[in-house]
Amino acid sequence: MEDGVALVADIGRQSVRFGLTGAGDDVEPREIKRFSNSDHQTFTSALVAYLAGVGLRDARLPSVLAVAGAVRGDLINLTGSRWYISLAGVEAVLRAKPIALNECAANALALTRLPPTTLTALPGATLKPIAPGGNYAVIGVGTGLGVAALVSADGRHVPVQSEAGHIGFAPQNGDEERFAAFCRARGGVVEVETLLSANGLLLAYEALSGGKRLPAPEDVTRNAGRDPIAGAVVRMFVEHLGAFVGDLALTFDAWDGVFLTGAIARALEPQLKQPGFRRRMEARTAFRRQLAETPVALVNRADIELIGAAAAIRNA
């Protein structure tokens, strides 16, 4: 290990971010650089370019890779990307065996390191500090829909990886039925991520507008107040997210808090504070009271995958 330095990486569908972290409690990532997947044929190529740029090409470095995909075995396929990650190949470059975990599991670990100032509590139950004995869920809303939990076991917090974003979509009202029918008519399998993602905003606009297409998700979120279709899309999106938050609190016993991350969640903060989000979250035959007592917060940092990866090094 090069003077207590370790490498952390956030490997997404479109880009990868690398950073360096220290030993012990010094986990704040530094020397963060982003590389586009389209500029490098392989992940290893981007890794070597980063190491050369920070002067560590020949260093022995422990590492944690936060990956947008299911982490199983040596070969990891990135969801929605041509890249794959060979852990043996990474070990050959870094001269130390890497640790790999799902990116949302890294987000869950990051909760243990985030200061309260990075969290915005949504209306409802009072947000409490992350504490031993608590169970928490994390939902990342961005290019895709990431889900993980942070559960207490044997006196410590353990991240639980998940691909719950790919469970089936269950429409509960007319707009959601319209959206599901539109997606099925195009031959798609309708999953929760089909709506709750960047592309989902565009699909939903196309479905509710009768076929009109917008170029970017921001065209939906920014115009929700003056375009009635965009407003309906955002309302459907936020309310279904509320229902999904309730599902995950029930799934993981995450009564101590659910945390929303990602650029889309941050962009929709005003709408998440409207009653519809919480109403759908708590709309259950059973456990309504427990859900009413479950706090929800936004995470206002864009680098928590790297923070979580650094926390995983400390916990290794």
Side-chain angles (χ1 to χ4, degrees):
M1 186 169 178
E2 187 78 10
D3 296 328
V5 174
L7 178 134
V8 290
D10 166 26
I11 310 167
R13 302 178 183 190
Q14 299 175 346
S15 64
V16 56
R17 290 182 296 176
F18 295 105
L20 301 175
T21 184
D25 288 331
D26 178 22
V27 300
E28 188 73 20
R30 61 186 187 276
E31 297 282 358
I32 297 172
K33 299 186 187 302
R34 182 188 295 271
F35 295 80
S36 173
N37 297 19
S38 61
D39 292 337
H40 292 269
Q41 286 291 101
T42 65
F43 168 75
T44 305
S45 168
L47 173 60
V48 170
Y50 174 77
L51 294 172
V54 294
L56 292 173
R57 177 63 184 88
D58 297 318
R60 178 185 177 275
L61 293 173
S63 62
V64 171
L65 314 179
V67 183
V71 177
R72 294 177 59 118
D74 175 74
L75 204 62
I76 302 170
N77 290 310
L78 286 178
T79 305
S81 171
R82 62 184 173 80
W83 271 9
Y84 65 87
I85 313 298
S86 166
L87 298 184
V90 174
E91 183 177 359
V93 173
L94 298 179
R95 305 179 188 181
K97 187 174 182 178
I99 299 169
L101 72 165
N102 176 271
E103 64 174 349
C104 212
N107 289 350
L109 270 177
L111 295 179
T112 64
R113 313 296 303 182
L114 292 175
T117 53
T118 64
L119 304 175
T120 298
L122 297 179
T126 302
L127 185 62
K128 297 169 284 191
I130 304 297
N135 288 346
Y136 309 89
V138 180
I139 302 173
V141 190
T143 306
L145 181 65
V147 176
L150 189 69
V151 301
S152 292
D154 300 324
R156 61 195 290 260
H157 281 124
V158 178
V160 178
Q161 302 185 151
S162 161
E163 292 297 336
H166 296 283
I167 65 175
F169 180 79
Q172 296 294 315
N173 59 39
D175 280 349
E176 291 177 4
E177 292 280 5
R178 246 176 105 188
F179 173 74
F182 175 82
C183 295
R184 287 194 297 268
R186 294 168 60 133
V189 175
V190 192
E191 303 171 338
V192 178
E193 185 184 82
T194 309
L195 174 62
L196 299 183
S197 61
N199 190 58
L201 284 167
L202 298 177
L203 270 176
Y205 192 93
E206 190 176 352
L208 299 192
S209 68
K212 181 179 178 181
R213 296 183 180 183
L214 295 179
E218 294 81 6
D219 295 315
V220 181
T221 56
R222 290 173 183 166
N223 294 315
R226 53 182 176 268
D227 177 348
I229 301 299
V233 167
V234 166
R235 183 165 53 253
M236 176 173 68
F237 189 102
V238 164
E239 291 185 3
H240 200 82
L241 178 58
F244 190 57
V245 165
D247 290 343
L248 293 181
L250 292 166
T251 300
F252 292 116
D253 277 354
W255 312 121
D256 301 290
V258 179
F259 296 83
L260 305 179
T261 74
I264 292 176
R266 292 192 295 273
L268 295 177
E269 179 181 338
Q271 291 85 359
L272 289 167
K273 291 180 175 178
Q274 296 299 312
F277 171 81
R278 193 87 202 185
R279 183 174 60 248
R280 285 287 295 273
M281 173 185 166
E282 298 173 11
R284 313 290 154 154
T285 302
F287 295 97
R288 183 185 294 267
R289 176 184 59 80
Q290 290 89 338
L291 286 168
E293 296 171 353
T294 301
V296 182
L298 282 170
V299 180
N300 295 309
R301 282 188 68 156
D303 61 347
I304 65 170
E305 293 87 357
L306 294 177
I307 294 171
I313 288 176
R314 183 175 179 271
N315 291 351

